[in-house]
Amino acid sequence: GMHHCMNFVTEADGAAGAVLIRAATPVAGLPARPRALTGPGKLCAALGITRAGNGHDLTRRNDFYVADDGAPAPRRAASARIGVAYAGAWAARKLRFYVAGSPDVCKL
């Protein structure tokens, strides 16, 4: 494809267990433009994510890692995934999770 996508993989190779990261809320040091990090392609472009990061361990503190900020968990919502009509009965399953009310979530 034309754009990179970021997946958080939680299982060993060969076992299903990954999450496509479709958007993020900008924080200090990231683009302040509205909706700058909405959509997997824009998110990866803004963060400089390329295939060079394949296999990167997100739990180790280096240039790019994921950490708990200690804030209370936000209210989550679920909906059908976007752009997977080819998935048959799985297309309607509520496997798209997001922060309810966030302006950074792609609208359907």
Side-chain angles (χ1 to χ4, degrees), residues 22-106:
R22 296 190 57 89
T25 299
V27 295
L30 294 176
R33 299 181 320 274
R35 303 183 54 74
L37 303 177
T38 58
K42 290 192 322 187
L43 173 72
C44 289
L47 296 178
I49 295 170
T50 67
R51 292 182 66 159
N54 283 2
H56 180 79
D57 186 343
L58 295 173
T59 64
R60 296 181 191 259
R61 289 185 180 258
N62 24 58
D63 292 341
F64 189 82
Y65 65 96
V66 176
D68 184 346
D69 66 1
R75 190 170 59 87
R76 291 177 294 267
S79 71
R81 295 177 299 156
I82 297 172
V84 294
Y86 61 84
W90 283 93
R93 299 275 313 264
K94 291 188 175 187
L95 296 172
R96 177 180 179 252
F97 304 97
Y98 57 94
V99 175
S102 171
D104 301 305
V105 173
C106 296

